[in-house]
Amino acid sequence: MTKLTDLEWFCPQPFINTVSTQDGASKPCCVLKEWPNRQLVKDGIIGPKALHESQLMKDFRNEFLTTGDGPMQNKFCQVCKEQEKHSATESHRIMYLDKFDENHGEHREHLEKLEEYIDTDHSEPFYLTMEYNAPNNFCNLKCNMCGPYNSSTYAKENQAIGIDKGKGATSSWLKGRTWVNEEDDMTKFEEVLETAVQMKLVGGETLALPQNYEMMDKAIEMGVAKNMHLTITTNATLTPKMGKLGDIFNYVSEFNGCQMNISVECWGDKNNYIRFPSKWEKIMHNVERFSKMPDTKILFATCVSSLNIGYLNEVADGVDILQEKEPNIYNDFATGSLVFGGDNLYIVTTIPLDIREQYLERIYTQVKPHHTKTFMKLANYLTDMEWDEELHKKMMIDVAKRDKFRGTCLTDIFPEWKPYYEKL
């Protein structure tokens, strides 16, 4: 047992992690809901150090040390709270705790320092991990469950079909634009880079954002890149020439290992539909190239939504086949984030009960035994989350508009939705 597990509902992220957001604000975790980015920017709380010293973060950290049911936890930590309702052993919070497991956690050598730190007044930051969201929303894909903040082509499609989906479309950062690409000052991250052992780069499409290469260049110039493990989330459709070293294949060897998180929602044509207009053959070609980079492992990660939850066993099976070919390279399949709450239309609650029964039958009969634990969590989502008929109707309208614009058809790929699609 450790101090971390002795606490009622502890998460290490508010103590060791910083996430920079596109609009210049920071937050301690990438899956927080209702984090007041806009207010932080308005108040001039820009950058990780300013956030660390803010009263907001002082109060938030204190809740993790004193209660498991504080008002800020219940507001901001909705995703993990919801995940743990359906699986007591699986959530982002538990995953982050596992990284400090005394026996097998990847950050176990820093456990003692973290335990010492939580007993201090936290006047100085203790940065171990960082996630960088560049002030650039360029992405070449427009995934159904995405939003304008994370995809310029999605924002452009919204504009073309007359949809203002999400607060991001009119936010102070986007200001009605479909693509934003702003310069960033890398010097404000120097204090984080000095001590971080993991750098996560995301997007937009991560490999197509010049700011991500500037961040890697900064770490290399500071002489700290070799202290960091590099984690890159990518849709694996692009490998452009960028940065001082030319492309991602030249950067990886400068860091202390790399994990490539390949964002897929399904396997094959189903993925092409949801992550439109990706080409599965191109993704697999680039995955093979990534697997040949030095000291690199591959993780296929999904975002659990109404369209893919019934087919994630195909992703697990596909990854199993890849592992058989390259057992020392391909890593595990991960169900990743649950699309949950906010203004997203592609949440599990939009799935009608008869379709849920089909998905549950597939989980109970087709999932391989070694994936049972992961898929029981998905089965619990399908069983426990109430059907939201109003949100379902909104989702179907959204699907139909995008299908008409793209020249696709939901029921060609997911025929179980046909009775509801035809009602439109």
Side-chain angles (χ1 to χ4, degrees), residues 328-341:
N328 296 321
I329 297 176
Y330 293 100
N331 195 28
D332 299 324
F333 154 73
T335 54
S337 299
L338 168 69
V339 173
F340 172 71

Side-chain angles (χ1 to χ4, degrees), residues 125-395:
F126 176 58
Y127 297 120
L128 277 180
T129 58
M130 65 172 293
E131 178 175 314
Y132 179 61
N133 287 267
N136 187 339
N137 69 326
F138 174 78
C139 184
N140 59 318
L141 302 184
K142 38 191 173 183
C143 309
N144 281 61
M145 68 293 165
C146 195
Y149 240 71
N150 294 311
S151 171
S152 55
T153 58
Y154 187 98
K156 189 174 182 179
E157 179 174 271
N158 279 2
Q159 191 178 77
I161 62 180
I163 291 179
D164 179 14
K165 181 188 174 190
K167 298 175 183 178
T170 56
S171 76
S172 58
W173 184 64
L174 287 178
K175 296 178 181 177
R177 297 170 291 178
T178 58
W179 179 24
V180 180
N181 179 16
E182 298 173 341
E183 292 185 7
D184 205 357
D185 177 13
M186 296 300 159
T187 61
K188 68 174 182 272
F189 300 103
E190 288 179 350
E191 184 174 7
V192 180
L193 294 171
E194 284 284 357
T195 60
V197 298
Q198 183 180 44
M199 175 193 288
K200 298 181 182 179
L201 300 177
V202 295
E205 170 39 42
T206 308
L207 296 182
L209 307 186
Q211 295 91 338
N212 285 333
Y213 296 87
E214 291 170 15
M215 179 62 77
M216 289 188 286
D217 287 334
K218 184 66 175 178
I220 294 168
E221 291 166 7
M222 290 176 61
V224 296
K226 283 295 184 183
N227 301 332
M228 297 181 206
H229 185 270
L230 186 62
T231 302
I232 294 174
T233 299
T234 174
N235 63 36
T237 63
L238 300 172
T239 56
K241 298 293 182 182
M242 279 193 171
K244 292 182 179 179
L245 299 186
D247 58 31
I248 191 57
F249 302 100
N250 294 324
Y251 274 91
V252 167
S253 60
E254 299 291 328
F255 289 80
N256 182 26
C258 178
Q259 177 171 302
M260 300 294 287
N261 293 336
I262 311 301
S263 296
V264 299
E265 306 313 319
C266 283
W267 207 252
D269 288 341
K270 295 185 183 74
N271 187 72
N272 291 344
Y273 175 85
I274 299 175
R275 299 186 69 85
F276 186 85
S278 60
K279 305 297 180 187
W280 188 250
E281 295 78 9
K282 182 67 173 178
I283 293 171
M284 288 293 100
H285 172 70
N286 283 330
V287 165
E288 183 178 359
R289 296 175 69 201
F290 296 149
S291 71
K292 291 178 170 54
M293 297 191 299
D295 196 18
T296 298
K297 61 181 180 180
I298 309 294
L299 175 74
F300 286 85
T302 65
C303 189
V304 182
S305 72
S306 57
L307 294 186
N308 72 347
I309 192 170
Y311 296 93
L312 292 177
N313 64 297
E314 295 178 3
V315 180
D317 293 343
V319 174
D320 283 345
I321 293 171
L322 292 178
Q323 287 176 320
E324 290 175 4
K325 296 178 181 178
E326 300 284 355
N328 296 321
I329 297 176
Y330 293 100
N331 195 28
D332 299 324
F333 154 73
T335 54
S337 299
L338 168 69
V339 173
F340 172 71
D343 51 24
N344 202 298
L345 303 178
Y346 292 83
I347 186 172
V348 175
T349 56
T350 61
I351 307 174
L353 300 184
D354 61 322
I355 296 180
R356 293 191 197 199
E357 290 178 2
Q358 296 178 50
Y359 292 167
L360 285 166
E361 178 69 16
R362 186 174 292 122
I363 289 174
Y364 293 140
T365 61
Q366 297 184 21
V367 169
K368 304 284 178 57
H370 58 287
H371 291 302
T372 298
K373 181 181 177 182
T374 295
F375 280 86
M376 286 306 98
K377 176 180 69 175
L378 302 184
N380 289 338
Y381 290 156
L382 289 166
T383 302
D384 299 342
M385 298 181 81
E386 295 183 3
W387 185 41
D388 187 331
E389 186 173 6
E390 190 61 34
L391 196 63
H392 159 82
K393 291 176 181 177
K394 292 179 180 179
M395 186 197 83

Side-chain angles (χ1 to χ4, degrees), residues 111-127:
L111 172 60
E112 185 176 348
K113 290 182 179 179
L114 175 55
E115 289 183 322
E116 292 173 355
Y117 182 69
I118 63 176
D119 287 336
T120 71
D121 63 3
H122 314 126
S123 57
E124 292 297 323
F126 176 58
Y127 297 120

